[in-house]
Structure formats: C-alpha cells, structure tokens
C-alpha cells in the first residue's frame, strides 16, 4: 500500500507516527509499505529527508523486505541516490517514476533516463518497479517501452505500478506481463486486476481501510471480496470533486482519530473542515456496510 | 538571458565551457546570466551539482551580481538550500518557480509554498523573481497572487519572469507592476514588453544571438530594433514543431561551431541531424538579415 506521510507542526516528517502507522498497516494485513510515493507526497521531500525517514523506520524495526521506496525526482542523480540507499538497506524494491519536469518527451528519452538511473545506482542493483502514472508524471510508459526496459534490465526491472486508472490499458499490460509483477493504483480496479493475474495493489485507501483492501485482494471474485469491493468503491467516492492527497489524509485522520494527519506540505493544502467531515462520514458508512457484508 | 547548460560526454556539466559561454555573453552585451532555468534544464540537476557549478563560475571570475540562479525544485527544502547558497554568494536574484510536481493547486497553497521557501532560506534574504511559466510548471501565478506575495515580502520579491507567452496577461502584469521588475521570456514579446515598462528579457535565443537581443532591448521601437525584432522572430521560427530546449541547444551549437552543445540530460534528447542543420540554416539566414538591417 502507498503510505501517506505524517507531518509535525513545523512541516517536518513525523517519523515516529509514520513508523507506528506502518506497523499497524502490516498488522492489519498489508503485504508491504510503499514509502514516499505520490500519495506520500514523495517529491515534496528532499533526498536527505527521505533517506533519514527510511533510516528511522528501519531503526524502529520495520522490515526492509516489506518496504518499497518511492524514488520520484526530477534530477536523475537524485533518483540514483535514493535507489542506491534503498537497495543497500535491503528494501524490497524502488518505485521509479520517469523524470517528471519535462512533458512531451519521447520513448527514447524515457528509456535513456531509466537506463541512466539504473546504471548509476551502482551495487547492489535495485529491484525496480516502473511507475506509470501519466496524469501526474506527464510521461506515459507504453507497453513497448516497458517491454524494452524489462528486456534491457531483466533482473532489475521486476514490475510495474499502473496508476493510469484506465482499465483497457491495464488489461493489455496484464495480458503481456510476462515475468513482470503488475500492481494497480486505482482501487476500483484492484479486484479485476488480481483476477487477471495482477500481483496486487499499491493504493492509498489502505491507509484508512487496510482490512477492506486485504479482503479484496484475498477474494477478488468471491462474495467476501464483492462486499469489500463495494465498500472500497464507497470510500473511493470521497475523491469525487476533491483533491486526491488531501482527501487521503482526511480519510487517514478519520480512521485514526488524529486530526494532525491533515497536515500537508505546501503547495498542497488540507481539505476544508466540512469536507473533512463529509469524508469521515463516507468512511464510517463504508466500514459499516463492509461489516454487514463480512463473512462470519 | 537564460543560459543553456553544456554537458560532458558522461552527462556531467562542462563548467569550463559554461564559464566561457557566460563570459562571451556578457561581452556580447547581455546584462546578466540566468543559470539553471528551464532552458538550462535546471530541474534535471541535483542541488549539489547546481551549487558546484555556481561555485566554479564564481571561482572563474563571473561577477555574482550578474548572475540569477534558477531554484526550481519539487521539494521546498531544496528551493531554500539553493536560494540560500545563491544569496550568500551575492547573486543578483533567485528565479523561483512554484513547486511543479502537483497540478491543480490553489493560490493559497502556492502562497504558502513561496512563503515557506523564502522564510526557510534564512539570511541574507534573497532577491526573488517569481517565475510564471504555467505551460511548464503547471502552476500559474495570477496577478492577485503576485500582488499578495509582493506585499508580504516587499524587499524580497523584486520581480516576475513572465514566460507565459500570452501577451494580454503580460500587458496586464506590466500595467499593474508597481515596483516589480518584469522580465519576459517569450522573445517575440520582448520589444513590446520593454516599450510598456518591462525591465528586459530572460530568454533562450540570446545563447545563440546575444547581440540581436541587445539591439532589441536598446531600441525596442526604433528602426534598428525593428530589424532586430524581425531577425529574432526568424530565429524563433526554429521552435515551430520542434522541442524547445533541444532546439535551443542546436542553435547554440550552430552559433558556436561546437556540436557538443547538442548533448542533453535524459529524458531530453538531441534534435535529429537534419533538424540540427535546418535550425543552423535559419540562424544564419536571420543573422544575415539582421546585418543588412543594422545601423551604420
């Protein structure tokens, strides 16, 4: 799952709260934690901040093989530095977005960017998940490019996180996945993706409803999964007309009872109070519906 | 002017060539150098790389009061670190883009981002040019926001670089500029902007044709300026259907005779050979036309 990043009042990362949150998510059934992804406001934090937080989590006992580290940066040396740091710490994988400052770049340029980042990461070689999130990165990763990267770096490029939210393209990626592990980001597609060979989800709603996502992943087609899917769709309705990350933090605040989760690093701003309350109501209602529909 | 960044064969910055290029541009009449802006692929370089290059330029004798430092980063601590470094070195100003990873942010979030960056820069306080380049940053700076920032940080926010390329909005900004110095990025607007109270231009074409831009700035309305404007428009035609920064580097390669200027950091890629040649022909033709039209 894609963890949101708690902040102190001064805007620094609250690493102790993040550690406790991650530990709780693993206990609740999440397979692993994706740190400093898009939902985690990763690019809003410097390389030094991100490394210090990872080290605090590891020092707190979070197992590195359950951690995926987001390495989204505009500058390739920063991508390589974060990748090296994560690989050296034994983290499960690096979630690698293409450099996101320039749009309109061609596949050759994106290939060279990934090749440069991977080659300059050094040893130990990282395990890389390619990050396809065109609405945010402005740089789509087409099938041809994914296959070229997987062929060029066979023991390194191990999978794709597909946050396109576009089911037809996700379905084609799943059909042609070969040895790649495909994770989807868009919660309403989780069940279908797993039923079609997907490896799982790296999604934000798990911050607030980890057991729902666990049930959905375990039984994507069965009745328990079906109730969970309905409940997840209900929670996902919180994003309608609201900005994604502030809404995700409001959901996490509602689930945990700690309003400080609503802090965001600028340029992002918290939801207005009434939106925070509306989001909390949606979450409670979805949780009740899921409890009614749960087995046993 | 906005300097492009020369690279060595291994992708590192060729600081010696950059120093020589900047010295040549000052001799050719440019008032100052904007380092690591958009044209300079700024966000493709790490904070440490950008600081090392600035130090090399200063060690080489480039006067700091002729240097504007681009501080475009997705993470505010990086913006503040670059701003502090530039201000401590005595640079003329910092060109500050809003954090560019997230789109759809509201004015309040952009204001808080600028306020955080400025407040955490520390002392000496920087001189800040706000950078309005919505097609690239995805974060427009409207007049209300610019006025709010100028009022909140009166001795710090000293101007705006307007790279919108949208003349009606540039004209409104010029009308309401107050004490702000307004620089335009879009070369075809330079003459009109200066005639309407603009402070000058920070543009890319000056890499290849600095004397043309000098003439245009000196006589935006006279006959010499008119010939220069026509020639600048001819050079600007090189961008039609071609990516901006690779084209700018091809123009610089053509003007200098050094083909290595065509190196770019991924994800950007050089123009194809025939495009490089077409761009070189356009530049030669514009230079000839300008010579014919020049006074004396």
């Amino acid at each position: 799952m894609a963890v949101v990043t708690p902040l102190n009042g001064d805007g620094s990362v609250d690493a102790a709260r993040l550690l406790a949150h991650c530990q709780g998510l693993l206990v609740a059934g999440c397979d692993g934690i994706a740190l400093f992804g898009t939902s985690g406001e990763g690019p809003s934090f410097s390389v030094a901040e991100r490394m210090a937080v990872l080290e605090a989590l590891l020092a707190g006992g979070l197992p590195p093989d359950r951690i995926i580290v987001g390495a989204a940066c505009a500058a390739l040396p920063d991508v390589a530095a974060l990748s090296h740091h994560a690989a050296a710490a034994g983290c499960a994988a690096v979630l690698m977005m293409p450099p996101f400052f320039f749009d309109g770049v061609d596949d050759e340029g994106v290939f060279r960017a990934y090749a440069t980042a991977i080659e300059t990461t050094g040893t130990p070689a990282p395990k890389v998940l390619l990050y396809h999130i065109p609405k945010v990165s402005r740089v789509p990763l087409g099938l041809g490019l994914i296959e070229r990267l997987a062929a060029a770096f066979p023991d390194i490029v191990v999978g794709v996180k597909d946050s396109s939210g576009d089911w037809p393209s996700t379905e084609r990626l799943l059909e042609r996945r070969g040895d790649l592990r495909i994770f989807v980001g868009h919660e309403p597609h989780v069940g279908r993706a797993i039923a079609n060979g997907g490896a799982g989800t790296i999604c934000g709603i798990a911050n607030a409803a980890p057991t729902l996502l666990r049930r959905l992943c375990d039984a994507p087609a069965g009745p328990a999964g079906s109730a969970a899917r309905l409940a997840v769709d209900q929670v996902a309705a919180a994003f309608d007309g609201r900005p994604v990350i502030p809404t995700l933090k409001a959901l996490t605040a509602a689930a945990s009872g700690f309003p400080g989760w609503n802090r965001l690093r600028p340029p992002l701003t918290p939801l207005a109070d009434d939106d925070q309350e509306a989001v909390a109501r949606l979450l409670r209602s979805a949780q009740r519906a899921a409890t009614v529909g749960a087995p046993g």
Side-chain angles (χ1 to χ4, degrees), chain A residues 2-296:
Chain A
V3 77
V4 290
T5 306
L7 300 181
N8 295 306
D10 66 358
S12 61
V13 178
D14 184 346
R17 187 173 302 277
L18 180 58
L19 173 63
H21 183 57
C22 292
Q23 287 167 330
L25 290 166
L26 293 181
V27 168
C30 293
D31 295 314
I33 303 293
L35 190 66
F36 289 127
T38 304
S39 299
E41 301 167 75
S44 290
F45 300 94
S46 70
V47 167
E49 287 181 300
R50 292 193 243 181
M51 286 183 178
V53 168
L54 175 60
E55 282 165 21
L57 296 182
L58 296 172
L62 209 65
D65 61 356
R66 307 286 288 274
I67 303 176
I68 293 170
V69 175
C73 303
L76 291 174
D78 291 341
V79 178
L82 285 170
S83 300
H84 177 73
H85 184 254
C91 291
V94 172
L95 180 57
M96 205 180 273
M97 191 183 287
F100 50 77
F101 180 67
F102 297 110
D103 65 357
V105 298
D106 58 21
D107 276 4
E108 178 62 26
V110 180
F111 179 85
R112 288 186 202 177
Y114 272 110
T116 301
I118 289 170
E119 285 160 3
T120 55
T121 291
T123 52
K127 299 292 183 191
V128 171
L129 295 180
L130 307 175
Y131 196 176
H132 176 52
I133 182 166
K135 279 175 208 153
V136 173
S137 69
R138 302 190 276 189
V139 179
L141 305 181
L143 264 174
L145 177 61
I146 289 169
E147 289 174 345
R148 185 178 168 200
L149 283 163
F153 302 101
D155 295 322
I156 293 175
V157 173
V158 296
V160 178
K161 178 176 177 192
D162 179 350
S163 293
S164 65
D166 174 49
W167 177 251
S169 76
T170 301
E171 194 171 31
R172 278 195 303 279
L173 175 61
L174 286 164
E175 281 165 9
R176 287 171 58 177
R177 70 185 181 280
D179 293 330
L180 293 174
R181 305 188 69 202
I182 312 299
F183 298 87
V184 295
H186 187 56
E187 289 86 356
H189 292 168
V190 173
R192 266 188 285 177
I194 293 176
N196 284 275
T201 176
I202 304 176
C203 75
I205 288 180
N207 282 283
T211 53
L212 277 185
L213 269 299
R214 178 73 269 163
R215 281 164 50 198
L216 181 55
C217 291
D218 286 344
S226 163
R229 197 182 61 246
L230 284 174
V232 167
D233 289 351
Q234 265 185 281
V235 181
F239 298 107
D240 292 346
R242 296 190 181 94
V244 175
I245 301 172
T247 301
L248 210 43
K249 285 195 140 172
L251 286 167
T252 309
S256 67
F258 177 64
W261 276 108
N262 283 298
R263 293 183 191 124
L264 292 130
R265 186 163 278 194
L268 299 185
T269 50
L271 294 189
D273 287 351
D274 54 346
D275 273 315
Q276 291 181 23
E277 286 158 24
V279 161
R281 280 194 300 275
L282 269 170
L283 179 66
R284 279 195 300 273
S285 150
Q287 298 278 28
R288 269 197 304 271
T291 309
V292 174

